[in-house]
Structure formats: structure tokens, C-alpha cells
Amino acid sequence: VTAAVRGHKLCCKRRCEGGDECAVLKTGGGNGLLVWGEKLESVQAIRIGTAVCGQLQCEASITSDGDSGCWCVTPMGLGAGAAVHVELAGGVIVPYELLLDYLPPVVDSIVPLFGAAVGGEELTVQGRNLGAVLAGKGWEGGG
């Protein structure tokens, strides 16, 4: 029997306990993700998009049906429809169609509101779920 994923649970906290369940990922990471199925104790990595989940822990028997499974902490990210990939040794992907969404970004303020038409001014964007900030990186926009 080859490895197979049969189910998953996305948790609001790092560890899935009781009824703790979320519908979306935090942009800063830190959700718990639990996957279970057959022969998953040898999982090498769980990825969301291209980012690797941290603190991977796999066990041979985690359900009353004897399914094996893995738990990990989700990475930072942005966007909707991030594909989850469960990888075995040698980069073999276990087939399982799972797409997760990160919380949508919310812009609370942009300072300054007005600037020179030629650009070149720094803007400060404040809000929630904006993801990782890359120092020294610029954004060009128009309109």
C-alpha cells in the first residue's frame, strides 16, 4: 500500500486541541495543520505553496482507525488557493487536493495621502494581514 492522505484539520493555534479549528491561515503563520491517512509516518515535509511548514511531527497511529499522521506549524504567506503538498523521501508527492487561503489583507492607512506626480516618495502602509515586510523593496504603481 502506498502513502495516502485521507483528511486534514487546520487549527487556529499551533497545536490542534479539542474543537480548535480555523477556516483560513494567519498571514504571519502559526496555525497548526494536521493531516492523516495511510503510511504518513515517513513524511519528510509539508509545504504550503513553496514554503515548508515548521516543527513537523509524524506518528504511526493518531486516529482510532489506526491512521498515521503528521502535524506542523504553518509558514507565513499571502493569498488565496495555496496548494498543500505532502512530501515523502526523494521528493515524492502524496496526492491530495487541498487548497488553503490566508487571511485577506486590510489596509487601514497610507501616509502621505498625496505626493508629487513624479513619485520617489516613501509611503507608510499600515494594516493587518499584510505579510512579511521586505526592507528596501519598493513598489511601483500608477493611476
Side-chain angles (χ1 to χ4, degrees):
V1 177
T2 59
V5 177
R6 283 202 280 263
H8 74 279
K9 180 178 179 182
L10 178 64
C11 305
C12 299
K13 299 176 185 162
R14 290 180 179 267
R15 289 299 279 179
C16 295
E17 298 172 351
D20 175 33
E21 197 158 351
C22 283
V24 293
L25 296 163
K26 296 181 273 188
T27 54
N31 291 89
L33 177 62
L34 177 66
V35 295
W36 63 87
E38 292 181 71
K39 298 192 179 278
L40 296 182
E41 61 273 9
S42 63
V43 166
Q44 299 293 306
I46 297 176
R47 296 180 186 274
I48 298 179
T50 58
V52 176
C53 284
Q55 301 177 24
L56 181 67
Q57 297 175 9
C58 297
E59 297 178 20
S61 181
I62 65 165
T63 68
S64 59
D65 296 334
D67 282 344
S68 58
C70 298
W71 170 88
C72 68
V73 176
T74 61
M76 288 191 297
L78 290 171
V84 176
H85 302 285
V86 177
E87 294 181 18
L88 301 175
V92 174
I93 304 294
V94 178
Y96 184 65
E97 292 186 27
L98 173 59
L99 301 176
L100 295 175
D101 298 332
Y102 282 92
L103 288 167
V106 176
V107 175
D108 293 326
S109 67
I110 300 174
V111 177
L113 288 176
F114 302 97
V118 295
E121 293 183 50
E122 285 192 21
L123 297 175
T124 300
V125 178
Q126 293 182 330
R128 298 172 305 254
N129 308 320
L130 300 177
V133 176
L134 301 175
K137 298 290 181 182
W139 175 79
E140 292 183 19

